[in-house]
């Protein structure tokens, strides 16, 4: 958070836990800043550099409207998003993290965890306010698992 400290200060305090944590969520812009990348390179290249700094665990990098990438130390996957006309983005990142964490704790594959993360963020974007109020059943419906693969919300 740029309002809390500079990137140099963040590196001093966060390097070790970013490198050693079991699971890290980071936005593309923050990963680029943390890694000191000033030139314009591909999302995949930023992610590769981030993974090279991580000693263990899973890494999830969000790409805004372009989706997210995840790696569990064995496989790396990328997943796009379904565009929605939202009522505000406040809380969407937290909802994304919660959706991914739910799948991660269930032991799901990366793809399914990212699907849930994207569905949670998408549902939050269509919900007024900053709290993601929706149920598991609503996420399942928006994923099409109960609705013949149609997006419902």
């Amino acid at each position: 958070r740029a309002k809390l400290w500079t990137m140099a200060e963040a590196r001093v305090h966060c390097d070790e836990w970013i490198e050693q944590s079991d699971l890290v969520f980071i936005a593309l812009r923050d990963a680029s800043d943390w890694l000191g990348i000033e030139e314009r390179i591909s999302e995949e290249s930023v992610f590769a550099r981030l993974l090279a700094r991580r000693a263990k665990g899973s890494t999830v990098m969000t790409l805004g409207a372009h989706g997210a990438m995840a790696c569990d130390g064995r496989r790396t996957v990328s997943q796009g998003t379904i565009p929605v006309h939202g009522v505000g983005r406040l809380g969407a990142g937290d909802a994304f993290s919660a959706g991914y964490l739910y799948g991660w704790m269930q032991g799901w594959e990366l793809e399914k965890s990212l699907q849930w993360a994207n569905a949670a963020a998408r549902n939050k974007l269509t919900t007024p306010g900053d709290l993601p109020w929706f149920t598991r059943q609503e996420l399942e419906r928006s994923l099409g698992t109960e609705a013949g693969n149609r997006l419902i919300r």
Side-chain angles (χ1 to χ4, degrees), residues 3-130:
K3 292 183 180 182
L4 299 176
W5 49 17
T6 67
M7 186 50 68
E9 292 170 320
R11 280 189 201 101
V12 168
H13 297 286
C14 299
D15 275 2
E16 184 177 352
W17 70 259
I18 289 176
E19 293 169 357
Q20 297 295 320
S21 294
D22 291 330
L23 175 61
V24 169
F25 293 96
I26 192 165
L28 171 63
R29 68 182 177 279
D30 296 332
S32 295
D33 288 346
W34 181 68
L35 293 165
I37 298 171
E38 295 180 12
E39 71 274 17
R40 183 145 175 88
I41 62 174
S42 70
E43 296 162 346
E44 293 82 5
S45 295
V46 173
F47 198 55
R49 289 188 190 184
L50 177 62
L51 295 176
R53 293 282 305 270
R54 300 259 300 125
K56 63 176 189 166
S58 296
T59 307
V60 180
M61 186 173 76
T62 58
L63 310 172
H66 298 131
M69 302 176 80
C71 179
D72 61 6
R74 298 167 303 164
R75 296 182 330 116
T76 299
V77 298
S78 176
Q79 190 173 99
T81 60
I82 297 172
V84 296
H85 296 287
V87 294
R89 63 182 205 100
L90 191 61
D94 294 332
F96 177 93
S97 296
Y100 188 89
L101 276 170
Y102 181 78
W104 187 68
M105 292 178 71
Q106 303 295 319
W108 292 348
E109 293 292 326
L110 293 172
E111 293 88 350
K112 187 172 181 181
S113 294
L114 280 177
Q115 287 173 345
W116 274 72
N118 282 322
R122 189 170 56 247
N123 279 331
K124 171 54 199 95
L125 287 168
T126 63
T127 305
D130 59 348

Side-chain angles (χ1 to χ4, degrees), residues 128-139:
D130 59 348
L131 295 176
W133 291 104
F134 47 82
T135 66
R136 177 184 175 163
Q137 291 75 25
E138 288 176 304
L139 284 186

